[in-house]
Amino acid sequence: PVNLVLQATVNEHGSINTEGSLAWAPLATDLNIDLKAVDLVSLQGWAGDQLNALLTKGDISFKGNVTADGEPLKIAVSGQGKLANFNIFDEINGIDLLHWKNLDINGIDVVSEPLRVDIGSIELGNFFAHVMLSPEGDLNLSNIVRQEDDQDATASETTETTSAAPSTDETMPIHIGKIILKQGKVNFNDQFIKPNYHAKLTNLSGQIGPLNPNKSGNIDISGAVDKTAPLKIKGSIAPFSTELLLDLAASVEDIDLPSFSPYSGKYFGRGIEKGKLSVNISYHIEDGALSAENNIFLDQLTLGEDIDSPDAISAPLGLAIALLKNQRGEIDIHLPIQGSLNDPQFSLGGIIFDAFINLITRAVTAPFSLLGAALGGDGEELSTINFEPGFSRIDTKAEKSLQTLSEALTNRPTLKLEIFGYTDPAVDYEGLKLAILERKVKTQKLRKETKKGQAVGSLDDIEFAPEEYSEYLELAYDEEDFEKPTNIIGLTKSLPDEEMEQLMLAHIEVDENDLAELAEQRASAAQNWIVNQGGIVNDRVFIVREDAEELSNQVRFSLK
């Protein structure tokens, strides 16, 4: 080895100071290197035409030791470095792509054989990134390095048959004590959407790490969206393991919704006039499987003008919003998702969008299911109430359903309710005869009590004590004009209650008009309960007569 001392200035800007030993047969070196603010702009030509961006400003500093010896050659680097005042320019779009004031790398300890990378800390301060999604759906940061065309790629695959790709089953021997972010800013521009969408992340600060193979490191980052909506990201990540391990929670509060009009216009055909968005998400990735919870809170969401979009779904967005929005104008959506990162067709954005579309579609196919989900149940039992054959009175089970439905309507003041009454001749024909018989008997008691000067209310309010029924049944029987059984002297024969009932039922006639009236009575009974007991204003509840031949002893509801 010979002693080596080198002192130089690079482009009258940075300096190089090197001192150590050098041998070349075999190669062996042990150098102490001190680079101070060496300008990198003039050196970027070494990259040839491999970059789609220009480095317009930036310098590198390094102070440490570099050794190389042995066969195979083993290189070791230790020290600390700095990349300062960087600016990378996007030639295609004519914008600054990346820039930062300082990127400090401390505690560098790198060995090539076997490969090991240890870094004490990385600190990135006063940084900026312009992230853009092109009209073709490509992300600009992925195109900084120019891609090979198909012909070159094929040739490369043919000639590099001896090159073995690194095994994905091995952990990456990289150890980073911590990554510190200070005063960051990201501008996002989605040109895939027309009109374009813009968002700004500001004041990004926090820490990531420690990061070690097969161990998770902490993530704690905060910032703001468009300078006003607080952003927090916390969790853990193991990026250098054989498989990605991620457990992440993030939240952002009170983003102004009108800025999302380009998305709502494209996919739902409506702009957004006003509202606030808050999001809480948690994502877990382990063994290639993703499970996630997306909680979306919309406050005072108000749709704007119609937008003509060929990509808009046909689902009624207005009904879905009315179903989800409570009386305070809030919408709380819970979207759990699952997927596999090993699926070649995996797309996180696609999964979330499909989950949201499914939610909106349920407004068409199963609005009560969607309403029930908002209430913490399945909701389908709210879509109908059943009646005793032949009767239109509300029983205890129906009252419970109507109470829940009324509470849901109270909490969603923009919803309107339509009521459809039905009958089923197979069960309601005989049941209606029983109902008519009951009214005849009750009429006798009502008449008697009224003559006594007692207030009894309506016929529906009449109830019988066990010993009373026979008395009033006999009075009703005596008023019937059909021929009654007589005794041997020709007087009307006294009969047991059951026989009187059977004779009266045999002479009661029921036709289609009676069944139609029963259907209307059932709808009216439901409407009256919802308005009077449920407290819903009458102009939100409509009885609808349907011509379709629905056979059921039910009332069915529809939401509008």
Side-chain angles (χ1 to χ4, degrees):
V2 297
N3 293 329
L4 173 66
V5 176
L6 173 64
Q7 295 179 339
T9 300
V10 181
N11 286 342
E12 300 180 356
H13 178 64
S15 64
I16 298 176
N17 288 277
T18 302
E19 182 176 354
S21 62
L22 174 65
W24 53 86
L27 178 64
T29 184
D30 186 350
L31 299 174
N32 292 319
I33 300 176
D34 187 1
L35 305 181
K36 293 181 179 179
V38 175
D39 181 27
L40 290 177
V41 174
S42 60
L43 305 180
Q44 66 181 316
W46 287 348
D49 59 354
Q50 298 302 307
L51 300 179
N52 286 322
L54 286 177
L55 175 64
T56 61
K57 187 179 181 181
D59 54 62
I60 181 172
S61 299
F62 175 79
K63 187 173 185 178
N65 178 259
V66 177
T67 64
D69 58 23
E71 292 184 2
L73 187 65
K74 178 178 179 179
I75 301 173
V77 179
S78 61
Q80 58 187 19
K82 182 175 185 177
L83 299 173
N85 303 313
F86 258 56
N87 192 85
I88 298 177
F89 183 75
D90 183 350
E91 295 182 87
I92 298 176
N93 296 290
I95 57 173
D96 288 335
L97 187 62
L98 297 168
H99 64 71
W100 61 78
K101 184 177 181 180
N102 62 281
L103 175 60
D104 298 330
I105 307 173
N106 299 307
I108 300 172
D109 189 1
V110 180
V111 178
S112 66
E113 188 62 36
L115 178 63
R116 179 181 174 88
V117 178
D118 287 342
I119 297 175
S121 67
I122 299 174
E123 182 174 321
L124 179 61
N126 292 288
F127 61 93
F128 167 83
H130 192 116
V131 182
M132 185 164 57
L133 194 64
S134 73
E136 294 74 33
D138 298 324
L139 198 63
N140 62 336
L141 296 183
S142 64
N143 295 323
I144 294 178
V145 178
R146 190 162 294 167
Q147 303 296 316
E148 295 179 303
D149 58 31
D150 294 340
Q151 184 176 359
D152 292 340
T154 303
S156 176
E157 291 173 1
T158 304
T159 57
E160 295 180 7
T161 55
T162 59
S163 300
S167 173
T168 57
D169 295 331
E170 298 180 0
T171 58
M172 299 177 64
I174 301 177
H175 305 257
I176 301 176
K178 58 184 176 180
I179 300 173
I180 300 173
L181 306 176
K182 293 183 178 180
Q183 299 300 315
K185 180 179 178 182
V186 175
N187 285 359
F188 177 70
N189 180 12
D190 187 348
Q191 295 185 346
F192 186 72
I193 293 288
K194 302 295 183 182
N196 298 161
Y197 170 73
H198 299 269
K200 293 181 180 179
L201 304 180
T202 58
N203 198 29
L204 292 173
S205 300
Q207 182 171 312
I208 304 171
L211 301 178
N212 296 297
N214 294 323
K215 290 184 179 180
S216 295
N218 295 328
I219 299 175
D220 190 352
I221 299 173
S222 62
V225 178
D226 292 332
K227 297 182 179 181
T228 58
L231 169 68
K232 294 181 180 179
I233 303 172
K234 290 189 175 183
S236 61
I237 187 172
F240 306 136
S241 302
T242 53
E243 288 190 349
L244 176 63
L245 180 62
L246 175 70
D247 193 359
L248 192 68
S251 66
V252 62
E253 299 178 1
D254 294 334
I255 303 175
D256 286 310
L257 277 170
S259 61
F260 291 93
S261 284
Y263 293 105
S264 65
K266 177 178 177 64
Y267 297 112
F268 299 110
R270 297 286 297 275
I272 300 177
E273 185 175 308
K274 73 172 184 177
K276 295 280 189 180
L277 166 68
S278 297
V279 177
N280 282 280
I281 63 172
S282 60
Y283 280 66
H284 184 81
I285 297 175
E286 188 172 1
D287 298 329
L290 165 71
S291 61
E293 302 286 339
N294 297 272
N295 293 304
I296 302 169
F297 184 81
L298 305 169
D299 189 16
Q300 309 305 317
L301 170 62
T302 304
L303 295 178
E305 72 285 354
D306 292 333
I307 296 175
D308 186 16
S309 170
D311 300 316
I313 63 172
S314 58
L317 186 60
L319 174 59
I321 291 174
L323 283 165
L324 294 169
K325 185 183 290 187
N326 63 25
Q327 61 184 343
R328 297 182 299 275
E330 302 166 341
I331 298 176
D332 196 351
I333 299 174
H334 175 61
L335 288 179
I337 61 172
Q338 292 183 334
S340 173
L341 274 66
N342 299 320
D343 182 355
Q345 303 300 319
F346 175 82
S347 166
L348 179 58
I351 291 176
I352 296 175
F353 182 73
D354 288 344
F356 193 73
I357 292 298
N358 290 337
L359 178 70
I360 301 302
T361 303
R362 286 170 64 186
V364 183
T365 58
F368 286 94
S369 176
L370 184 64
L371 183 63
L375 296 172
D378 59 27
E380 283 304 318
E381 70 277 4
L382 301 180
S383 62
T384 62
I385 56 173
N386 295 316
F387 290 84
E388 182 183 353
F391 290 84
S392 60
R393 58 193 171 205
I394 306 294
D395 61 18
T396 302
K397 184 177 180 181
E399 279 189 339
K400 185 177 179 181
S401 293
L402 291 173
Q403 180 64 42
T404 304
L405 180 58
S406 298
E407 291 173 358
L409 292 172
T410 299
N411 204 33
R412 287 156 181 79
T414 59
L415 278 179
K416 297 184 184 298
L417 184 71
E418 293 183 344
I419 303 177
F420 302 82
Y422 299 104
T423 57
D424 182 358
V427 295
D428 283 322
Y429 184 83
E430 295 300 326
L432 190 54
K433 287 186 175 183
L434 289 171
I436 294 173
L437 172 62
E438 181 182 277
R439 289 200 294 271
K440 288 177 179 289
V441 178
K442 283 186 174 183
T443 298
Q444 297 302 319
K445 182 174 181 178
L446 183 144
R447 180 186 299 160
K448 182 176 181 179
E449 297 294 333
T450 302
K451 288 181 178 180
K452 291 180 181 179
Q454 297 179 358
V456 293
S458 68
L459 203 64
D460 293 334
D461 298 325
I462 297 294
E463 294 182 357
F464 295 110
E467 65 276 6
E468 291 182 313
Y469 180 74
S470 295
E471 174 190 351
Y472 294 113
L473 173 61
E474 186 172 357
L475 291 174
Y477 175 77
D478 290 342
E479 283 193 355
E480 295 295 304
D481 59 1
F482 58 80
E483 185 176 346
K484 303 177 179 66
T486 58
N487 56 23
I488 56 176
I489 61 174
L491 298 176
T492 301
K493 186 178 181 181
S494 179
L495 297 174
D497 290 354
E498 294 78 4
E499 292 188 27
M500 285 189 290
E501 288 175 339
Q502 291 301 320
L503 284 170
M504 291 178 69
L505 289 172
H507 289 85
I508 294 175
E509 295 183 357
V510 174
D511 56 25
E512 292 184 359
N513 291 329
D514 296 314
L515 291 172
E517 184 179 353
L518 176 61
E520 292 183 3
Q521 289 172 352
R522 286 172 171 173
S524 295
Q527 182 190 47
N528 291 335
W529 200 102
I530 291 172
V531 172
N532 297 322
Q533 279 77 33
I536 306 302
V537 294
N538 190 59
D539 59 4
R540 292 179 58 197
V541 186
F542 302 88
I543 293 177
V544 180
R545 177 178 292 180
E546 193 173 45
D547 293 332
E549 295 183 0
E550 176 72 26
L551 301 179
S552 66
N553 55 330
Q554 292 180 328
V555 157
R556 297 191 179 184
F557 303 108
S558 176
L559 295 168
K560 297 295 183 180

